[in-house]
Structure formats: C-alpha cells, structure tokens
Amino acid sequence: MKKVITFGEIMLRLAPEGYMRFVQTEVFGATYGGGEANVAVSLSNFGLDAAFVTKLPKHEIGDAAINSLRKFGVDTSKITRGGERVGIYFLEKGASQRPSKVVYDRAGSSIAEAKPSDFNWDEIFEGVTWFHFTGITPALSPTLASICEEACKVAKSKGITVSCDLNYRKKLWTREEAGKTMEKLCHYVDVCIANEEDAKDVFGIEAENTDITGGHLNHEGYVAVAKKLSERFGMKLVAITLRTSISASENNWAAMLYDGKEAYFSKEYNMKIVDRVGGGDSFGAGLIYSQIVGKSNQDSLEFAVAASCLKHSIEGDFNQVSVAEVETLAGGDGSGRVQR
C-alpha cells in the first residue's frame, strides 16, 4: 500500500454550539483539527496508509489529540512527544451575511517550539511515496520553516512526491514573510494547491479581471496564475480551488488543475454550508488520493472537488466520507435523496 506522510499542527478546536457568537455562548464544543491532520484523516478514510507527524505534549490533552486521529486509522507512531501545550483555535461559525471568525491561541505550542532534532526524516520517510505540508506550518516559527525545508530536501532525495497547500494565514505572518519562506520551499514542490487569493498574497501573482468579494471569477485568469507558478517553481501540477461566496451559508464550489500543458476545470456545485473549515484540506486529500491511485487529471479534479463539496456538509474539521460516497457525487448524483 502507498504510504503518505503529512506534517503540521493538530489543534484543539473550541466552538459555540450551532451558530451562536462568542459573546453569547456559555458552552464550547471541543474537537480537534488542523490542515495536515485533516488531510491524513481523509486519506485514511479513503483506504490509504496515512501517517501524521507533529509534536504534542505528553499529557492527557496531547493523548486526546492523538486518539482523535487513531480512531480514523491514521498512523500516529511518528509523533514526537514533548513541550508544554496543544495549540487552540476558537471558531465562530457564520451564517447568511455574517462571516465565520477564527481566533488563534497557539503561540508556544509544542510544534511551534519544535527543534530539528525532534524529527529524523530519514526514518520517517522510510517506505513513503508522498509527503504533504501546508503554508501554515512554516508560519508557526522560523525554526519550523527550517524543519519543513529539511523535510522537503530529504523527501526529494528519496524520490518522494511533495505537495503543498499554500494556505496563507494573515494572522500568523505577513505577506513578505510568507513570500520569502515559501519561495524557498516551493522549489521542492511537485503538486501545489491554492485558493483564489493564496498566489496573490504569497507571491503577488494575481488573476486578472477577478473580483473575489463580488463573486466574479475569471477562469482564464487562473490558468495564467497556475502557469506562472508552474514555470517559476517547476511544479508538475497546480490546483486552484474556485469559491464563489454568495454568503456564509451558500457558496458555489469548483476548481481547476494545470499540468504544465493543459488546464482542466471541474463541474461547479452549489453548496448550503454546514461547516466550511477543512474544505480546502478535503480538496487536497481528494487530489492526493486520486493521483496516487492513478486517476486521470480530469477525474482527479472531479473527485477532489466532490470530496470537498461533501465536507462542507459535515461538522468538524475532518472529512468523514468514503470513496464510494465521493464517486457517487462526482458521477452526477447530488440529489441528497435518502438511501435505504
């Protein structure tokens, strides 16, 4: 079985019930999630051998974070234990014209204070065929950015495919900091995943004639963005998700994939959103799975978009769907009729 390694931070997610605001609630639901952890869970649910690498404190909250992954079959044996705390993020889910809000409490987390000696990448990558990380991880500390770079170097020396979701987070670092760091890392990346804004925020590469806030996306402009990324870094595949935000509760969802020669566009889904956090991660996981099992580029794209569409209907960070469910939607059955 092909083995995938994902590397990043898993956090405790605290969210008010339903659509209550932070200032209203007296109860916070506790779950776990984080970009690369979300990808590992999806890949495990799809039947792949997926391992998540991070550093977590050696106490009960660290144990609970690990158990949240183990219940889905994710290999947690490569997680380093140590440090003082698990990162936290607070989520207030938006509705209608009120946007969702995220507040981070992750400074000083175990992974943010990790050292290069915490990870033996030669051992971690034994028997591995794919390595995935996001732009969130190097944003956590300069040392972690160096650790990401070392991981990429070892992965490339072993012939492992490297994928990265740019995932720019303005609350973690500036555009200048992101651009300088990701410029180095992306030269190791074979498969790049981004949304409508990431390439602009990180590298200043912008789609022309596009108004994201107004919901007007110029598809040909994103082909140009993908081409520039591919040429600049030598990437084999560049995927860009295309989200039209009608409101916090309703989005149109599609994506494009560029392979250096041809651009592919998926069908578009109209989604009534239950929980959009982890939507991009579920897309990335769908793309990784599809490429590993040998789907064509068009079919890979359709699978990834369908997987992500389904994730928007599921509470929590993790995309708890099967390959069969994704393929049913990708195949055209989006009726949502009761299955008996």
Side-chain angles (χ1 to χ4, degrees):
M1 183 184 294
K2 302 287 182 67
K3 189 174 185 67
V4 181
I5 293 288
T6 73
F7 174 58
E9 180 170 32
I10 184 169
M11 292 176 288
L12 172 64
R13 164 176 155 165
L14 298 177
E17 295 180 327
Y19 294 92
M20 294 185 72
R21 306 209 69 184
F22 290 139
V23 295
Q24 287 180 292
T25 191
E26 296 180 352
V27 177
F28 286 85
T31 55
Y32 293 87
E36 298 89 349
N38 300 342
V39 171
V41 169
S42 281
L43 293 175
S44 184
N45 284 336
F46 293 155
L48 295 185
D49 185 354
F52 177 63
V53 178
T54 192
K55 185 175 183 180
L56 286 166
K58 198 172 184 179
H59 56 44
E60 288 83 356
I61 305 304
D63 293 343
I66 289 174
N67 289 341
S68 74
L69 299 167
R70 292 178 64 192
K71 69 184 290 186
F72 294 105
V74 175
D75 179 359
T76 60
S77 65
K78 303 178 188 302
I79 292 177
T80 297
R81 305 303 296 271
E84 298 299 324
R85 69 184 300 251
V86 176
I88 300 171
Y89 86 92
F90 297 86
L91 171 67
E92 178 185 283
K93 290 203 299 182
S96 190
Q97 277 67 45
R98 176 173 59 84
S100 297
K101 293 187 176 181
V102 169
V103 176
Y104 289 126
D105 178 18
R106 60 200 300 183
S109 67
S110 291
I111 186 65
E113 296 190 347
K115 301 174 182 178
S117 59
D118 287 327
F119 307 101
N120 185 329
W121 292 109
D122 277 318
E123 291 183 1
I124 290 170
F125 285 139
E126 185 175 350
V128 171
T129 58
W130 196 294
F131 172 57
H132 178 75
F133 71 103
T134 78
I136 297 172
T137 302
L140 298 178
S141 74
T143 300
L144 207 49
S146 297
I147 292 172
C148 284
E149 185 174 8
E150 177 62 21
C152 288
K153 286 180 180 178
V154 176
K156 294 302 288 186
S157 72
K158 293 178 176 292
I160 296 169
T161 299
V162 177
S163 61
C164 176
D165 190 331
L166 290 182
N167 264 350
Y168 174 69
R169 295 291 185 266
K170 64 182 179 181
K171 292 186 177 182
L172 296 179
W173 57 357
T174 66
R175 290 182 175 87
E176 291 74 22
E177 290 170 330
K180 182 178 179 180
T181 299
M182 298 308 295
E183 178 78 26
K184 292 190 294 184
L185 294 176
C186 281
H187 283 287
Y188 300 99
V189 172
D190 301 295
V191 180
C192 179
I193 302 161
N195 66 22
E196 307 96 329
E197 299 174 278
D198 286 335
K200 175 184 176 182
D201 288 333
V202 178
F203 297 121
I205 301 174
E206 184 176 3
E208 296 181 354
N209 301 319
T210 286
D211 177 9
I212 294 170
T213 303
H216 304 293
L217 306 183
N218 173 24
H219 285 189
E220 292 308 310
Y222 288 109
V223 175
V225 168
K227 185 176 181 180
K228 288 178 182 178
L229 286 171
S230 177
E231 292 175 347
R232 183 164 168 176
F233 298 107
M235 297 163 174
K236 298 176 183 177
L237 292 174
V238 177
I240 298 178
T241 55
L242 305 171
R243 183 189 298 273
T244 303
S245 293
I246 299 167
S247 71
S249 304
E250 184 178 0
N251 288 182
N252 291 332
W253 183 246
M256 66 147 292
L257 184 65
Y258 179 73
D259 65 2
K261 297 179 180 179
E262 186 174 353
Y264 305 84
F265 286 87
S266 74
K267 68 183 72 173
E268 185 176 67
Y269 296 93
N270 177 258
M271 304 183 301
K272 304 299 187 293
I273 296 173
V274 172
D275 190 336
R276 66 161 285 179
V277 177
D281 304 321
S282 58
F283 172 85
L287 186 65
I288 292 168
Y289 167 80
S290 299
Q291 288 291 307
I292 286 176
V293 301
K295 290 181 180 289
S296 69
N297 285 339
Q298 185 67 55
D299 288 344
S300 290
L301 183 63
E302 297 292 356
F303 185 94
V305 172
S308 184
C309 177
L310 289 173
K311 164 61 194 79
H312 285 75
S313 72
I314 297 170
E315 291 275 7
D317 274 50
F318 298 155
N319 192 20
Q320 301 179 43
V321 297
S322 67
V323 169
E325 288 173 317
V326 177
E327 290 184 338
T328 295
L329 178 57
D333 184 357
S335 65
R337 293 174 63 87
V338 176
Q339 297 181 356
R340 303 182 191 276

